[in-house]
């Protein structure tokens, strides 16, 4: 349990996580979770639950920023969210009941592969084979469910799964995929937040500072993203999720 709450520290954590999430089309949890643990002294599970509140705000404000730039597909976001909402509740419960290290490693391998595929995307003529119709719907439902489960369990937005799937398999542009991902994570993270709240996994006393920072950072990040060309943004995203993958691949079983 935290003995002292630092509103300013929470604000800066939210600002950094929100800006990162808005720029890269992620929820920002990949930064917020470790900072809540190392700087605020939260346990891992409580950091995941508290981070999801920040992810929810990042999704709302970040999606608004992308919408103002015309980079949002509402139908695709609803398809992603429909499965993510169901899976997020199971993921949140799993965070309180199961060891995480094996799932983290598997997620790390996925992110590493996705980063490599995004880098070589221009040289893959078969990419985007399901740009329309039922094939695209199936992709959105499948990866929405997977993203929702990981969002609920790990306190992240799920953009590390949704964005590569949309770009590589669904034929989405990078900006459009990131904006759509941010909107899709709003309902799924809401379910995760509710479940973590039920289980006592949210540190409410630091939320005011954290959320003010997130709201400001996510809007600024989303607006800056429009100034970067599609190829450049894809490289930024690939580097970011490669870095994320290295963090997840370092997961080890908890000491006995």
């Amino acid at each position: 349990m935290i003995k002292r709450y630092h509103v300013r520290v929470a604000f800066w954590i939210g600002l950094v996580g929100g800006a990162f999430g808005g720029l890269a089309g992620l929820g920002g949890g990949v930064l917020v979770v470790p900072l809540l643990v190392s700087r605020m002294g939260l346990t891992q599970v409580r950091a995941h639950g508290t981070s999801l509140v920040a992810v929810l705000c990042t999704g709302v404000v970040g999606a608004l920023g992308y919408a103002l730039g015309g980079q949002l597909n509402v139908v695709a976001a609803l398809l992603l969210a429909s499965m993510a909402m169901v899976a997020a509740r199971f993921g949140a419960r799993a965070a309180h009941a199961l060891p995480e290290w094996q799932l983290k490693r598997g997620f790390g391998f996925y992110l590493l592969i996705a980063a490599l595929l995004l880098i070589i995307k221009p040289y893959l003529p078969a990419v985007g084979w399901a740009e329309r119709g039922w094939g695209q719907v199936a992709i959105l439902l499948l990866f929405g469910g997977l993203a929702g489960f990981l969002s609920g369990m790990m306190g992240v937005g799920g953009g590390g799964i949704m964005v590569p799937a949309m770009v590589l398999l669904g034929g989405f542009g990078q900006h459009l995929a990131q904006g759509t991902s941010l909107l899709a994570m709003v309902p799924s993270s809401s379910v995760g937040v509710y479940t973590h709240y039920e289980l006592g996994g949210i540190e409410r006393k630091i939320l005011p500072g954290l959320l003010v920072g997130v709201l400001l950072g996510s809007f600024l990040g989303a607006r800056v993203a429009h100034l970067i060309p599609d190829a450049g943004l894809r490289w930024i995203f690939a580097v970011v999720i490669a870095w994320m993958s290295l963090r997840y691949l370092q997961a080890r079983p908890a000491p006995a």
Side-chain angles (χ1 to χ4, degrees), residues 52 55 80-81 83-89 91-92 107 110 139-166 181 184-185 188-189:
L52 266 184
V55 167
L80 288 165
M83 290 300 293
M85 290 176 65
V86 176
R89 187 166 180 83
F107 187 41
Y110 165 80
I139 287 171
L140 294 173
L141 292 175
L142 173 63
F143 285 93
L146 182 57
F149 182 81
L150 291 169
S151 172
M153 183 169 190
M154 297 184 183
V156 298
I161 284 181
M162 290 187 285
V163 172
M166 283 188 280
S181 169
M185 65 181 64
S188 63
S189 58

Side-chain angles (χ1 to χ4, degrees), residues 74-197:
V74 176
V75 174
L78 290 175
L79 288 170
L80 288 165
S82 64
M83 290 300 293
M85 290 176 65
V86 176
R89 187 166 180 83
F90 291 102
R93 289 190 175 277
H96 289 259
L98 298 173
E100 304 168 13
W101 69 274
Q102 289 183 332
L103 183 58
K104 283 187 175 182
R105 281 191 185 178
F107 187 41
F109 280 117
Y110 165 80
L111 290 177
L112 188 59
I113 293 171
L116 293 174
L117 288 175
L118 283 172
I119 291 173
I120 64 174
K121 178 181 180 287
Y123 312 103
L124 297 176
V127 166
W129 58 267
E131 296 185 10
R132 59 184 63 84
W134 289 108
Q136 188 179 74
V137 171
I139 287 171
L140 294 173
L141 292 175
L142 173 63
F143 285 93
L146 182 57
F149 182 81
L150 291 169
S151 172
M153 183 169 190
M154 297 184 183
V156 298
I161 284 181
M162 290 187 285
V163 172
M166 283 188 280
V167 172
L168 295 170
L169 301 177
F172 286 72
Q174 187 70 28
H175 288 86
L176 182 60
Q178 293 187 184
T180 302
S181 169
L182 283 167
L183 180 59
M185 65 181 64
V186 172
S188 63
S189 58
S190 298
V191 174
V193 166
Y194 177 74
T195 306
H196 277 286
Y197 178 79

Side-chain angles (χ1 to χ4, degrees), residues 190-209:
S190 298
V191 174
V193 166
Y194 177 74
T195 306
H196 277 286
Y197 178 79
E198 280 187 317
L199 299 171
I202 294 178
E203 199 68 54
R204 289 177 289 175
K205 292 183 179 180
I206 67 171
L207 288 181

Side-chain angles (χ1 to χ4, degrees), residues 3-122:
K3 296 181 179 179
R4 183 179 178 186
Y5 296 92
H6 303 279
V7 175
R8 280 183 289 185
V9 175
F11 168 80
W12 284 108
I13 291 174
L15 184 69
V16 171
F20 175 82
L23 176 63
L26 302 168
V30 68
L31 290 182
V32 172
V33 168
L35 288 174
L36 288 177
V37 173
S38 63
R39 300 298 180 186
M40 304 298 292
L42 270 66
T43 64
Q44 193 70 28
V45 170
R46 291 181 76 82
H48 288 186
T50 306
S51 171
L52 266 184
V53 182
V55 167
L56 173 60
C57 293
T58 301
V60 172
V61 180
L64 175 61
Y66 278 87
L68 293 174
Q71 298 291 345
L72 198 65
N73 187 320
V74 176
V75 174
L78 290 175
L79 288 170
L80 288 165
S82 64
M83 290 300 293
M85 290 176 65
V86 176
R89 187 166 180 83
F90 291 102
R93 289 190 175 277
H96 289 259
L98 298 173
E100 304 168 13
W101 69 274
Q102 289 183 332
L103 183 58
K104 283 187 175 182
R105 281 191 185 178
F107 187 41
F109 280 117
Y110 165 80
L111 290 177
L112 188 59
I113 293 171
L116 293 174
L117 288 175
L118 283 172
I119 291 173
I120 64 174
K121 178 181 180 287

